[in-house]
Amino acid sequence: MSDVVEKTLSALPSLLSLDSQAGAGKLSPSSKLGNLIKGITELTSKHEEETLIKKELESIKEQVASPNTTMRQMKEIMVRAIYCEMLGYQASFSYIHAIKLAQQGSVLEKRVGYLAVSLFLNETDEFLLLLVNTVLKDLQSTNLIEVCMALTVVSQMFPKDMIPAILPVVEEKLTHPKEIIRRKAVLALYKFYLIAPNQVQHIHSKFRKALCDKDPGVMTASLHIYLQLIKENPESYKDLTGSMVTILRQVVGGKLPLDFNYHSVPAPWLQIQLLRILAYLGKEDQGTSEMMYDVLEESLRRAEMNHNITYAILFECVKTIYTVHPKSQLLEKAAECIGNFVLSPKINLKYLGLKALTYVVQQDANLALPHQMTIIECLDHSDVIIKRETLELLFRITNAQNVTVIVEKMLEFLRLTCDDYSTIDLVGKVAELTMNSVFSLGGDVMQPDIPNNFLRLLAEGVDNVEDRQLRLFAVDSYVSLLQGETAKLPQRFLQVISWVLGEYSYLREEESDPGSVMRLLARLLDQRHTSTETRSWVLGAMTKLCSSPVSVALARDVCERYLYSGSLNTVLRQKAQELMILSQDTKLRARVLPAEGRLESPEVDSSLSFLDGYVSDALAAGAAPYKSPHQRQEDLVQEKALSLEPYGLSLPVSLSSCSITDRRSPTLLSMSSGLSGNSTELSHQEGSTTLKLEGVKRVWGKDGYLAQQQSAGETPTPLVELPSPLLSPQSPPSQKPSSGLEPDQEKRQLASSLFVGLGSHNSVCLVRLPSTVWLFIKNCQSANQSNVVKSLFKPFYINSCQSKNHGSFVKVSGIFAARKSCQTDDSCCFPPQISCISGSPLKEVKGHSVSVCLHTVVMKRASVQVELAGLLSYQRPLGQPQAAQFSLSLSLKHFLRPLTVSTGDYGKMWLSFSHDLKQNLRLVTTEHQEPLTATLDALKGKLHLHVVDIIGSEGIVACRLLQGPGQGQPCLLHCRVHADSLAVWLRSPVPELPDSLLYHCQKALTET
Amino acid sequence: MIKAILIFNNHGKPRLIRFYEYFAEDVQQQIIRETFHLVSKRDDNVCNFLEGGSLIGGSDYKLIYRHYATLYFVFCVDSSESELGILDLIQVFVETLDKCFENVCELDLIFHMDKVHFILQEVVMGGMVLETNMNEIVGQVELQNRMEKSEGGFSAAPARAVSAVKNINLPEMPRNINIGDINIKVPSLSPF
């Protein structure tokens, strides 16, 4: 209980006793409520509260039963009963008395009676039947208040069957002279429509009359009905479009009485309602939509951004514009509006902006592009709700190229919130759905670690209800998928499906016949397009499932086909054999696949030491010692011996391409079996298995899942590891590669990977060049970094071309990676403002390697921004020379460095500089800092300035411009807080520098 | 449609509970508890909307709330309501309370639970927004109050008690739910 109340209440007893003296016996009921409340506030435990309330209820019970209790006292008692009920204690004995109070009391007592009834009872309560006559009587009363009370209680809850009894009277009220009565009657009828639509069928014409009521309030109430009706069946109400448009135009145009204004916005709630109705009417209907374009535009225009409620109208308007038949001009304006929402510092508006974006990207994914950085920031927002909305947005823009990063983000979010029981379910579904859509979208191109991560998510976690639900959901959705057309599903997805079904089908076992999943799996096997690898997963799943007799029979069928109809693939034969044996021997099956062991991680003996005996026996028996496949290949080439090519091929397929997900994944089960299956054909098989195991990406180890080193900015296909550019000769020897990326760059990287594939041209970070070459341009400002660059499925591309700030110069580096070897040459065209200190020569890039080229540039003349253009020409050994253009914009920011000077030196320098400039800038305001400090900090962070000193309302700042080797030319800033702006005075020996720097300062501050 | 309106204080003690859809008593209490749990752990500088709970009506359900000094006002609505619209409706409701009680405070809500319900009935009827104009709402309430006065009597007494309590000097505490605060802390009245 709040301190306020507690302390206040300590003063209560004296007051109440005072009152009771003054007002004699009259006051006892109210002091009883007072005592009750006081008593509750003094309690320290739930248990005490319980005892107290029980006592209170006892006394209430006694009083209501007493024949001496007057209606007036009863009213007071009811309030106490309501209080107890609110706290969660049933006072069911008082229900009948509440009804009595409503029946027999005077107006005021009746009001409390009705209130108590509507709080205590629900539509199905039999007690309500006792009330029907009273309601009927009150509806016909001449007392307005009694009519209002009756209408209110009717709209709160009324037994469905009794509606006909009062319907005519309520209908009558639609023509009542008082608008408040008409309005309440409309809402009551709407309520009737909701619970029993058939019974109000005949009065639709009366609804229309309400819509045309001379009182705007009644009209507003009738819109509740129309919103519902039009939502259910837009076709029948198209003729209303004109009226709705007219109403909205009048409202927007300020034709309503001023009473309807809220913060000088005319009837905002009415506008919102009308916009929603228009959205339903105009959806997928060009003709109807055309009628409303004008008024929508007017709404957008009129809603000035000045109050919360105008944003509400704007939001609705934007949604309507995007729902109705599109008109490009309006869409543009709406998109702009969404931009305002997203960029707004008000968190509520940002949330709605994200929501609006989520809604509109379904039509045009490119709309998200201008807001990339905001979206990235929202991903790390402290507010979970914002975060989730962002994920929802990302979910909508998922495509084959950005799927990994988005799913990664979702999983990350899931892991963070796994204890939040209310969100896990929903988010799990989001992830789940994404998984499905994503797998079917981009399945085969995906790296195996995504399915792994997903399966891990499913498998991990304690066996609680949420996990179980998630799994069951997965199983159910997969089963229904398999029941449909499976030919189009990617192989990798089918593998995930079979694993999940194998592992978790038992969860739905109770409700369906056990053979159904088996049959679905068997059907998969029958299909021609199912790959060998997938088949082995399917067989693995069947092995786990064959517990019931039906399944066993099915399994035997399948096995026979594989074993005797001569499948050539040894792995499949092996798996079929396993299935055969395990399905027949339940004891063995229970030992190999214990049901309760699902959550334990397996022990993997990667050294295969258990085979030592076998190996030594074989060696003793005269077998040749182990040679690696590589060695063997060479031997074969040299000897030109019998070609074992087919086996050489089959082995890597079965082993290396399946990654290990779990002890139960087919690969692991067949690890030893693949060996026995092949050993007759290939000698030294055991050795090769060992080797292959090393080669397989290890996801599970002795201690369970092996956490993988992942850099934050994951792109879909991490294949090529780049040598750090820092190893190049130009870089100063003192620099060491650091593993962490600077946050800003990290975000940009993330942005580029999240928004890849949206739109063909993206000015921010991705330029798509003729199909074989990709150019990735990023500007980054970090001084030290190691860069992991990912490749794309292209024969050749420049992956990254970036400028970096090193201590004393700016480097522009292009990174080339090639799938096939080729010759490259890049030539950069330097604008007059900058010059190149060093460049790199023509080089040959071998297949599957990367090369880094670096140009070190300095700014000769200060300017706001320079455009660096370049041409990359390359030639494959047998191809035509080809060229790709790229350009990179470098801003003054990249060439600025902090200048550390003392206040004294600053003073001397200040006097000696000739070029100066004064300007007022915006102050940054934050909660925790002085405006001056905050502003200077912002500048320092964004432009690498050095804050020399802050004295009172003045601050001095210094920086230098890289103009060649050595220190570079300084620029000094003197800042003073003046009213609510910052007066800045810049001085420098370089002519254009103050001007250019000022531009960047302005920009930096507006962005903050 | 509005599914429920919950008012509780910073400690989760319910001050006014109004459901517009039927829930069993224990479910109601659970909803109150969970809503408090969700809302109370949110800072004042995060957004006023919460989504994705499973309490009422599954996914088609959101919480829109405002926090005034010691009280949380929470509206549980479905997707047919406008978020910002409801946010301002809460504001209208609180301002109306302030007008009716003259500097409304938590105590008013405790001692005049019935009156608060009657005021609410003029704003929201059966889950539908009935009236958003503060003057209209106050007018309706006053109409009823006049009737009350004509009947006269004891019901005025608790109001006297409360106003006496209010007048006791408790300088260190923010006594009312601070409508005045809205101008400062909750910037809804000042322009965005």
Side-chain angles (χ1 to χ4, degrees):
Chain A
M1 173 73 59
S2 121
D3 290 349
V4 184
V5 175
E6 217 163 323
K7 291 196 182 166
T8 317
L9 285 171
S10 58
L12 259 183
S14 56
L15 272 166
L16 290 169
S17 62
L18 240 168
D19 271 352
S20 62
Q21 275 166 12
K26 256 192 196 172
L27 268 175
S28 64
S30 74
S31 58
K32 269 183 188 156
L33 177 64
N35 282 335
L36 169 64
I37 293 164
K38 178 176 170 289
I40 291 172
T41 53
E42 280 170 354
L43 299 175
T44 50
S45 71
K46 184 84 190 157
H47 179 71
E48 281 181 62
E49 183 186 291
E50 226 161 85
T51 342
L52 185 96
I53 299 276
K54 277 212 182 105
K55 236 171 72 192
E56 176 69 20
L57 286 175
E58 280 305 314
S59 106
I60 293 178
K61 202 173 194 171
E62 211 172 278
Q63 278 176 294
V64 292
S66 148
N68 298 328
T69 310
T70 63
M71 278 295 148
R72 187 173 278 180
Q73 285 166 328
M74 194 64 100
K75 178 184 150 209
E76 211 57 42
I77 292 167
M78 270 315 139
V79 176
R80 270 153 65 201
I82 294 176
Y83 193 83
C84 294
E85 283 256 332
M86 181 175 77
L87 293 179
Y89 299 89
Q90 281 244 322
S92 44
F93 59 84
S94 61
Y95 296 173
I96 187 70
H97 297 279
I99 288 176
K100 242 198 236 163
L101 193 63
Q103 284 170 337
Q104 300 165 9
S106 66
V107 183
L108 279 180
E109 291 145 14
K110 194 185 268 293
R111 190 165 65 149
V112 174
Y114 272 135
L115 176 66
V117 167
S118 73
L119 286 170
F120 293 160
L121 304 181
N122 68 74
E123 280 122 355
T124 55
D125 244 302
E126 283 177 5
F127 279 137
L128 273 184
L129 297 177
L130 299 173
L131 207 64
V132 173
N133 276 327
T134 315
V135 168
L136 199 58
K137 197 184 86 211
D138 285 337
L139 279 175
Q140 290 162 318
S141 160
T142 49
N143 187 336
L144 282 187
I145 291 175
E146 280 182 338
V147 181
C148 279
M149 282 189 297
L151 286 172
T152 304
V153 84
V154 154
S155 72
Q156 174 70 25
M157 39 137 207
F158 200 74
K160 199 171 165 181
D161 309 334
M162 298 313 284
I163 288 176
I166 57 162
L167 189 59
V169 195
V170 178
E171 269 177 65
E172 224 169 74
K173 296 292 171 237
L174 286 177
T175 53
H176 198 278
K178 273 283 181 190
E179 64 96 6
I180 183 77
I181 304 283
R182 293 205 299 277
R183 204 190 308 178
K184 289 191 173 177
V186 167
L187 286 186
L189 286 175
Y190 172 54
K191 202 58 196 248
F192 291 166
Y193 173 77
L194 285 183
I195 42 181
N198 300 331
Q199 302 188 349
V200 286
Q201 285 268 308
H202 62 289
I203 51 169
H204 279 211
S205 62
K206 291 196 173 157
F207 288 159
R208 291 216 175 204
K209 238 174 132 190
L211 182 65
C212 305
D213 197 286
K214 62 180 188 295
D215 186 276
V218 181
M219 184 263 291
T220 311
S222 75
L223 289 183
H224 281 292
I225 300 177
Y226 279 105
L227 184 67
Q228 182 68 25
L229 290 175
I230 293 172
K231 188 175 160 188
E232 283 167 7
N233 184 6
E235 289 310 317
S236 332
Y237 297 92
K238 295 279 183 190
D239 59 317
L240 281 178
T241 315
S243 320
M244 297 293 174
V245 169
T246 317
I247 297 172
L248 182 58
R249 183 168 297 130
Q250 287 177 357
V251 175
V252 173
K255 297 274 165 25
L256 285 183
L258 284 180
D259 289 355
F260 287 89
N261 281 12
Y262 176 75
H263 289 270
S264 61
V265 181
W269 285 277
L270 175 58
Q271 288 193 41
I272 292 171
Q273 197 88 334
L274 283 166
L275 285 166
R276 286 197 171 213
I277 291 179
L278 289 184
Y280 285 124
L281 284 171
K283 194 177 181 185
E284 288 158 11
D285 182 344
Q286 188 170 358
T288 313
S289 300
E290 272 164 7
M291 293 169 72
M292 54 186 79
Y293 288 150
D294 284 348
V295 75
L296 289 179
E297 194 176 345
E298 198 176 343
S299 275
L300 266 192
R301 195 161 44 80
R302 292 258 186 171
E304 288 157 29
M305 306 264 196
N306 57 4
H307 187 267
N308 187 15
I309 202 72
T310 46
Y311 285 104
I313 297 172
L314 277 178
F315 179 72
E316 221 49 62
C317 201
V318 166
K319 260 179 92 174
T320 306
I321 288 173
Y322 271 97
T323 311
V324 301
H325 187 85
K327 185 189 181 193
S328 57
Q329 192 194 346
L330 273 180
L331 290 181
E332 253 170 51
K333 284 187 181 157
E336 196 184 312
C337 203
I338 294 177
N340 288 335
F341 272 90
V342 175
L343 294 175
S344 166
K346 304 276 172 207
I347 191 136
N348 284 339
L349 299 187
K350 199 180 268 291
Y351 169 80
L352 289 175
L354 288 171
K355 238 181 136 74
L357 262 188
T358 310
Y359 185 72
V360 301
V361 288
Q362 294 172 57
Q363 295 183 21
D364 183 0
N366 288 334
L367 285 168
L369 286 176
H371 307 299
Q372 290 179 31
M373 289 314 280
T374 320
I375 294 171
I376 301 292
E377 273 157 28
C378 290
L379 263 186
D380 294 324
H381 203 280
S382 55
D383 188 350
V384 188
I385 300 296
I386 298 275
K387 244 184 187 170
R388 222 187 29 211
E389 199 53 45
T390 315
L391 285 180
E392 180 72 30
L393 171 60
L394 291 179
F395 172 55
R396 306 279 176 186
I397 57 168
T398 305
N399 60 31
Q401 279 156 297
N402 60 15
V403 57
T404 326
V405 196
I406 290 178
V407 170
E408 191 67 41
K409 281 278 155 196
M410 285 185 165
L411 295 178
E412 201 178 281
F413 181 76
L414 265 182
R415 254 169 251 140
L416 284 176
T417 53
C418 64
D419 56 348
D420 191 344
Y421 57 97
S422 67
T423 55
I424 180 123
D425 184 51
L426 185 107
V427 181
K429 276 180 189 170
V430 171
E432 168 69 46
L433 286 172
T434 318
M435 272 330 215
N436 291 359
S437 61
V438 154
F439 277 128
S440 26
L441 255 174
D444 283 338
V445 216
M446 230 163 21
Q447 281 302 292
D449 54 328
I450 302 181
N452 281 345
N453 266 344
F454 175 60
L455 296 182
R456 179 157 60 100
L457 179 84
L458 275 180
E460 258 180 5
V462 272
D463 211 10
N464 55 20
V465 182
E466 284 84 31
D467 282 337
R468 193 175 284 265
Q469 268 173 359
L470 181 62
R471 287 169 193 162
L472 190 61
F473 181 81
V475 170
D476 283 344
S477 66
Y478 289 156
V479 165
S480 58
L481 257 176
L482 286 189
Q483 278 158 352
E485 179 55 50
T486 54
K488 294 225 169 64
L489 297 178
Q491 297 301 323
R492 185 105 52 202
F493 187 32
L494 289 177
Q495 288 159 20
V496 169
I497 291 179
S498 12
W499 185 85
V500 170
L501 289 183
E503 204 67 359
Y504 298 116
S505 286
Y506 73 94
L507 288 173
R508 72 197 288 274
E509 212 64 5
E510 306 93 54
E511 57 207 80
S512 68
D513 86 294
S516 66
V517 176
M518 277 298 262
R519 266 193 294 280
L520 285 173
L521 289 173
R523 215 184 92 196
L524 266 188
L525 286 177
D526 291 342
Q527 278 164 356
R528 246 196 317 163
H529 56 78
T530 311
S531 76
T532 317
E533 191 186 339
T534 309
R535 277 169 211 267
S536 78
W537 282 75
V538 173
L539 284 172
M542 291 178 104
T543 317
K544 293 173 211 163
L545 285 176
C546 55
S547 50
S548 71
V550 194
S551 322
V552 171
L554 244 164
R556 187 172 311 156
D557 244 27
V558 170
C559 296
E560 276 169 6
R561 205 140 21 102
Y562 275 94
L563 289 176
Y564 306 120
S565 69
S567 167
L568 286 177
N569 189 301
T570 47
V571 176
L572 284 185
R573 283 181 76 105
Q574 175 61 33
K575 298 221 56 114
Q577 183 73 41
E578 281 170 17
L579 175 58
M580 181 79 154
I581 294 170
L582 289 177
S583 66
Q584 283 162 4
D585 188 342
T586 34
K587 266 189 208 153
L588 181 63
R589 189 172 165 277
R591 214 154 54 91
V592 179
L593 301 164
E596 64 280 8
R598 286 173 203 278
L599 296 170
E600 291 158 24
S601 13
E603 291 252 331
V604 177
D605 184 358
S606 61
S607 67
L608 297 188
S609 53
F610 58 89
L611 286 173
D612 286 352
Y614 178 79
V615 175
S616 53
D617 285 353
L619 285 174
Y626 167 70
K627 283 178 187 166
S628 70
H630 175 68
Q631 216 178 345
R632 219 152 43 219
Q633 205 72 33
E634 279 178 3
D635 289 354
L636 283 174
V637 172
Q638 279 167 8
E639 291 166 17
K640 302 258 184 290
L642 187 63
S643 168
L644 291 172
E645 200 57 32
Y647 306 117
L649 274 178
S650 83
L651 188 64
V653 167
S654 62
L655 287 173
S656 63
S657 57
C658 312
S659 55
I660 305 172
T661 315
D662 184 338
R663 89 206 140 87
R664 292 188 161 196
S665 76
T667 335
L668 222 95
L669 268 179
S670 61
M671 200 60 80
S672 56
S673 51
L675 182 138
S676 51
N678 287 345
S679 58
T680 45
E681 291 133 44
L682 256 185
S683 55
H684 325 304
Q685 176 60 44
E686 56 277 53
S688 93
T689 310
T690 320
L691 187 87
K692 279 296 166 192
L693 188 64
E694 301 294 327
V696 169
K697 186 169 183 183
R698 279 186 61 195
V699 186
W700 289 92
K702 271 190 177 172
D703 305 320
Y705 184 78
L706 301 174
Q708 282 167 35
Q709 300 280 318
Q710 286 167 340
S711 72
E714 284 271 56
T715 48
T717 47
L719 289 178
V720 183
E721 186 87 16
L722 260 200
S724 160
L726 300 165
L727 301 176
S728 56
Q730 286 92 344
S731 57
S734 62
Q735 285 175 348
K736 285 178 192 128
S738 69
S739 55
L741 300 172
E742 292 237 333
D744 187 39
Q745 194 211 349
E746 207 173 285
K747 279 185 186 163
R748 281 168 193 277
Q749 256 187 7
L750 185 59
S752 58
S753 41
L754 280 178
F755 297 95
V756 64
L758 290 185
S760 54
H761 180 263
N762 169 1
S763 59
V764 182
C765 62
L766 185 69
V767 184
R768 195 170 174 177
L769 292 167
S771 66
T772 51
V773 182
W774 285 66
L775 175 64
F776 228 87
I777 296 181
K778 287 180 204 146
N779 290 331
C780 31
Q781 295 200 325
S782 57
N784 297 327
Q785 62 199 354
S786 73
N787 213 341
V788 183
V789 176
K790 285 87 193 176
S791 81
L792 299 153
F793 291 99
K794 297 292 168 195
F796 172 82
Y797 59 93
I798 310 170
N799 200 303
S800 162
C801 187
Q802 46 190 228
S803 70
K804 292 186 193 177
N805 291 10
H806 285 278
S808 56
F809 40 77
V810 176
K811 271 200 217 143
V812 179
S813 65
I815 299 168
F816 315 116
R819 292 224 123 184
K820 297 187 175 133
S821 42
C822 56
Q823 297 262 318
T824 65
D825 179 24
D826 73 316
S827 55
C828 290
C829 153
F830 295 97
Q833 293 94 335
I834 58 174
S835 69
C836 176
I837 301 180
S838 61
S840 60
L842 179 117
K843 54 182 77 176
E844 187 186 347
V845 188
K846 287 239 168 66
H848 301 285
S849 70
V850 288
S851 99
V852 180
C853 83
L854 286 162
H855 295 281
T856 308
V857 292
V858 295
M859 200 168 238
K860 282 200 303 196
R861 225 169 60 217
S863 72
V864 172
Q865 193 167 342
V866 288
E867 210 46 47
L868 178 67
L871 186 73
L872 174 82
S873 51
Y874 60 96
Q875 186 177 12
R876 292 207 206 106
L878 294 173
Q880 289 291 317
Q882 281 171 306
Q885 282 181 339
F886 59 90
S887 75
L888 179 63
S889 83
L890 297 172
S891 104
L892 179 71
K893 283 197 277 191
H894 297 126
F895 296 92
L896 287 179
R897 296 292 177 275
L899 177 65
T900 325
V901 288
S902 67
T903 313
D905 289 343
Y906 182 97
K908 280 180 212 150
M909 283 160 84
W910 181 263
L911 293 173
S912 65
F913 295 160
S914 50
H915 300 280
D916 73 346
L917 187 70
K918 286 184 196 172
Q919 177 95 33
N920 279 357
L921 294 180
R922 218 186 113 224
L923 269 176
V924 176
T925 44
T926 59
E927 281 173 26
H928 326 287
Q929 280 179 309
E930 291 279 304
L932 179 64
T933 326
T935 312
L936 294 186
D937 276 357
L939 289 176
K940 185 178 157 191
K942 294 208 165 159
L943 299 175
H944 309 280
L945 308 180
H946 173 67
V947 181
V948 181
D949 208 350
I950 297 178
I951 308 154
S953 62
E954 293 179 52
I956 48 175
V957 181
C959 69
R960 64 192 169 89
L961 174 71
L962 292 177
Q963 277 198 312
Q967 267 292 308
Q969 294 290 357
C971 184
L972 306 179
L973 291 87
H974 176 268
C975 313
R976 178 204 292 270
V977 179
H978 188 71
D980 50 357
S981 65
L982 185 72
V984 183
W985 191 356
L986 297 98
R987 276 196 174 189
S988 168
V990 188
E992 299 90 349
L993 187 52
D995 202 34
S996 317
L997 181 58
L998 187 66
Y999 170 83
H1000 280 287
C1001 290
Q1002 265 168 341
K1003 210 170 143 217
L1005 293 182
T1006 27
E1007 281 167 0
T1008 311
Chain B
M1 204 178 119
I2 299 168
K3 309 268 185 183
I5 293 170
L6 315 174
I7 305 176
F8 38 73
N9 72 4
N10 288 348
H11 302 265
K13 279 276 168 208
R15 290 293 170 237
L16 178 122
I17 304 299
R18 172 99 249 195
F19 282 89
Y20 294 102
E21 200 171 85
Y22 171 68
F23 291 99
E25 182 75 12
D26 50 333
V27 182
Q28 288 189 7
Q29 289 300 319
Q30 195 193 341
I31 290 172
I32 297 167
R33 270 197 308 276
E34 287 185 13
T35 308
F36 171 70
H37 175 76
L38 282 175
V39 168
S40 63
K41 67 179 178 193
R42 292 174 63 76
D43 294 337
D44 278 350
N45 57 358
V46 298
C47 68
N48 298 52
F49 316 120
L50 266 170
E51 246 181 291
S54 51
L55 306 170
I56 306 175
S59 58
D60 183 20
Y61 152 77
K62 53 200 171 192
L63 295 176
I64 297 160
Y65 72 97
R66 273 183 185 273
H67 187 197
Y68 297 96
T70 61
L71 292 176
Y72 285 97
F73 286 71
V74 186
F75 279 45
C76 312
V77 302
D78 66 11
S79 63
S80 69
E81 298 290 342
S82 149
E83 285 94 344
L84 289 175
I86 293 290
L87 207 56
D88 267 56
L89 186 70
I90 301 179
Q91 180 72 23
V92 168
F93 178 47
V94 174
E95 280 181 45
T96 310
L97 288 179
D98 193 52
K99 225 169 183 177
C100 294
F101 288 106
E102 291 166 18
N103 250 348
V104 65
C105 70
E106 199 181 332
L107 272 179
D108 290 313
L109 267 67
I110 302 170
F111 282 97
H112 301 291
M113 200 176 43
D114 47 341
K115 273 193 194 156
V116 178
H117 269 292
F118 298 140
I119 294 169
L120 185 60
Q121 275 176 5
E122 299 304 320
V123 183
V124 179
M125 179 171 155
M128 274 94 58
V129 179
L130 174 70
E131 180 59 74
T132 51
N133 183 340
M134 188 163 59
N135 295 331
E136 280 288 316
I137 304 166
V138 174
Q140 281 299 320
V141 174
E142 268 170 7
L143 190 75
Q144 296 174 17
N145 286 351
R146 270 204 295 281
M147 179 182 69
E148 191 161 358
K149 282 200 185 101
S150 66
E151 281 204 10
F154 69 89
S155 52
R160 230 187 305 149
V162 170
S163 72
V165 171
K166 271 192 196 173
N167 292 333
I168 301 172
N169 204 9
L170 301 165
E172 72 281 14
M173 297 173 280
R175 278 185 302 140
N176 48 37
I177 32 180
N178 266 335
I179 258 323
D181 260 20
I182 296 166
N183 287 316
I184 308 155
K185 265 203 247 157
V186 188
S188 58
L189 286 181
S190 56
F192 268 94

